[in-house]
Amino acid sequence: MDFTFTEEQQAAAEAARAVLSGVVPDGVPSPALVPGAVAEDIDRPLWAGLASSDLLSLTLLPEHGGAGLDLVALCLVLRESAKVLARVPLLETCAVAMALQRYGDPGLAAELLPRIGLGELVLTAGSNGRSGHDPAELAVKARRRARPGTSGKATVPGGAADPADAAVGWVLDGMQSAVPWAQAADWIAIPAHTDEGRAVVALVRPAQDGVTLAEQVSTSGERFAEVRLESVRIDDRALIDGAGAWEWLRAILTTGTCALALGLGEAVLAMTSQYTGKREQFGFPVATFQSVAVQAADRYIDLRAMEVTLWQAAWRISTGADGALPAEGDIAVAKIWASDGIRRVVQTAQHLHGGFGADTDYPLHRFHAWAKQIELSLGPAAAHEEALGNLLAAHLLD
C-alpha cells in the first residue's frame, strides 16, 4: 500500500507553513499571567491570510469556490497550525462547512460556503453538551414549530399527514458548554435531538433572539462560551437533519483534534531536543545522557503512533473504505493515542526542561496548556476506550 500524500495534499501543507511562518506562540499574554482570556478575539490577520491562501476553502467543492480536497489535506494543515498555537477556529469552521456541504440545504450551502472560503464568515461548533461527559446532542431539544393558529399536527381525511403540514421551522431549547470562540463566530453549529430521538445539527447566529453566551475561558486561555438557547427559532434550511450528519461532523472534529495534538507534540519534542542538546551538566549536553535519550525516544514513538492512527482514521472517513470495525473504531483508536500521547509528550518535555519549562518567558508552558485542552476535547482517552470496547463487543472479528 502507498501512503504517500498526493501533490495537492503536500501543496496544502506547504501553503500552510508559509502562512503560519510569521505566527509566534507568545504573541498574546500568557494564560498563566492573566485572570481571563488572553485576547478578546481570534487572530484576524492570520484568518485573512488563511483565506487569501485558499486554505479556508480547501475542502469545499469547486462550485463553492474550493479545491475539493479531503480530510487528509485538512489534517495536514491543522497539524501545521498547532505547531505555532494558531488562535483561529480553523478546524471548527472547516468541519461545519463540510457538514453543510454534505448534508445541508443546497440553497443555504450556496449562500454561505463561498463566503466561508473567502474568510468573511467564522463558524464554530458545540460538542461538549452540558458537561463534556454525556452525548452532546442530548443537551439540546429541537421541536417542530407550529404555524400560528394551528396545533402543528394537521391531518387529511383518513388520518394521514397533511402535505401542507402545520409545522414550520424549529424551536431549540438547551445549552452547549465550552464552545470555542463562540463570541467571534457568525454561526454556531449546535447538535440537538428531536422528539423521535434523531440527532440533528442546528445552525444558529449568536445575536439572534433566545441565544445567550456566558463567558468561559479554556485551559489554553482562549475565549469559550456556554451557549444557552431558550425558544430559539430557526427555519427548516438551518437544520441539518440528514441521516448521520451529526455523527459525521463529530468524527471530523475528533479526527481534526488528533491532527492538532500531533502537530503540537512534534513542536514540543523539537523544542525539547534543541534544549537538551544545548543544556550541559558535568561538561556534557544532557541529551547525551542515557536516561534523557530514552525518555525522548519513548515520546518519539508516541508521536509516530499518533501519526499512523490519525491517517488511518482520516483515510477511513475520506474514502468510506470498509474495515473490520466501522470507521468509529479507527477514530477512537486515534483519539486514545492523541489524548494519552500528547499528555506524555508535554509532561516529559517539562521534566527534561527542568525549572526552565515553567518560565513564563519561555513558550513551553503555553504548549502544555494547549495540550491539556486538546487532550480532553471531544472526549478523553477513557471515553474513547469505552466506545472502542462497545464496538468490539458489537462486531465479531475473524
Side-chain angles (χ1 to χ4, degrees):
M1 299 180 69
D2 184 4
F3 291 102
T4 304
F5 297 119
T6 66
E7 291 184 5
E8 291 83 2
Q9 291 166 346
Q10 294 180 50
E14 291 171 5
R17 283 192 288 270
V19 173
L20 296 162
S21 61
V23 178
V24 291
D26 52 2
V28 292
S30 164
L33 300 178
V34 293
V38 297
E40 291 296 306
D41 199 6
I42 63 174
D43 188 339
R44 293 287 177 176
L46 175 57
W47 192 251
L50 292 169
S52 63
S53 298
D54 297 326
L55 292 172
L56 297 182
S57 60
L58 196 67
T59 57
L60 300 182
L61 295 174
E63 54 261 39
H64 299 307
L69 297 186
D70 59 8
L71 177 59
V72 174
L74 176 59
C75 285
L76 285 167
V77 175
L78 291 169
R79 178 187 191 177
E80 298 301 323
S81 73
K83 293 178 181 179
V84 295
L85 306 183
R87 301 181 46 261
V88 288
L90 177 61
L91 168 59
E92 293 81 7
T93 293
C94 290
V96 176
M98 291 169 70
L100 175 60
Q101 177 173 259
R102 183 181 177 102
Y103 294 100
D105 176 81
L108 185 62
E111 177 184 329
L112 297 184
L113 294 180
R115 296 184 63 196
I116 293 169
L118 294 173
E120 297 175 359
L121 297 177
V122 174
L123 280 64
T124 189
S127 59
N128 287 293
R130 292 183 176 275
S131 64
H133 298 291
D134 298 320
E137 66 272 19
L138 299 184
V140 176
K141 177 68 175 296
R143 69 180 189 277
R144 269 295 191 179
R145 177 161 56 94
R147 295 182 188 276
T150 70
S151 66
K153 299 180 180 180
T155 59
V156 295
D162 190 340
D165 192 276
V168 53
W170 297 83
V171 178
L172 307 172
D173 287 284
M175 60 90 74
Q176 291 286 335
S177 65
V179 179
W181 291 296
Q183 297 87 343
D186 298 286
W187 292 86
I188 305 173
I190 301 290
H193 68 283
T194 66
D195 288 331
E196 299 80 22
R198 291 187 298 114
V200 295
V201 180
L203 297 177
V204 303
R205 288 165 293 179
Q208 72 184 83
D209 291 343
V211 178
T212 304
L213 304 184
E215 191 81 9
Q216 293 180 320
V217 180
S218 73
T219 303
S220 59
E222 298 299 330
R223 287 187 81 187
F224 279 24
E226 180 183 88
V227 180
R228 301 169 183 166
L229 304 109
E230 185 174 354
S231 299
V232 176
R233 297 186 176 190
I234 61 172
D235 59 28
D236 284 335
R237 69 176 193 159
L239 192 87
I240 304 175
D241 61 352
W246 164 239
E247 291 79 6
W248 192 80
L249 174 56
R250 183 176 57 200
I252 297 293
L253 291 168
T254 305
T255 306
T257 302
C258 296
L260 295 174
L262 176 61
L264 189 150
E266 289 175 331
V268 167
L269 189 62
M271 292 170 61
T272 305
S273 176
Q274 294 171 3
Y275 177 78
T276 57
K278 295 178 181 178
R279 177 74 166 89
E280 291 190 357
Q281 285 186 352
F282 312 111
F284 297 94
V286 297
T288 62
F289 298 166
Q290 185 178 32
S291 62
V292 172
V294 167
Q295 291 181 72
D298 284 343
R299 301 296 77 83
Y300 176 82
I301 293 172
D302 277 335
L303 289 174
R304 297 291 67 80
M306 292 164 63
E307 182 176 21
V308 71
T309 55
L310 163 65
W311 300 132
Q312 172 73 6
W315 174 74
R316 286 289 305 277
I317 295 172
S318 298
T319 63
D322 292 330
L325 291 176
E328 289 81 1
D330 294 289
I331 297 167
V333 171
K335 190 56 168 70
I336 291 166
W337 271 106
S339 292
D340 282 344
I342 194 60
R343 184 184 69 251
R344 289 192 292 261
V345 168
V346 294
Q347 286 177 345
T348 297
Q350 290 281 8
H351 175 65
L352 296 182
H353 275 82
F356 198 51
D359 189 339
T360 55
D361 290 329
Y362 187 70
L364 180 59
H365 74 286
R366 298 174 182 268
F367 284 85
H368 201 152
W370 277 71
K372 181 56 67 175
Q373 182 67 45
I374 290 172
E375 176 192 346
L376 301 178
S377 295
L378 279 299
H384 290 275
E385 288 167 352
E386 181 179 355
L388 181 60
N390 291 336
L391 284 171
L392 288 169
H395 295 80
L396 296 177
L397 303 180
D398 294 331

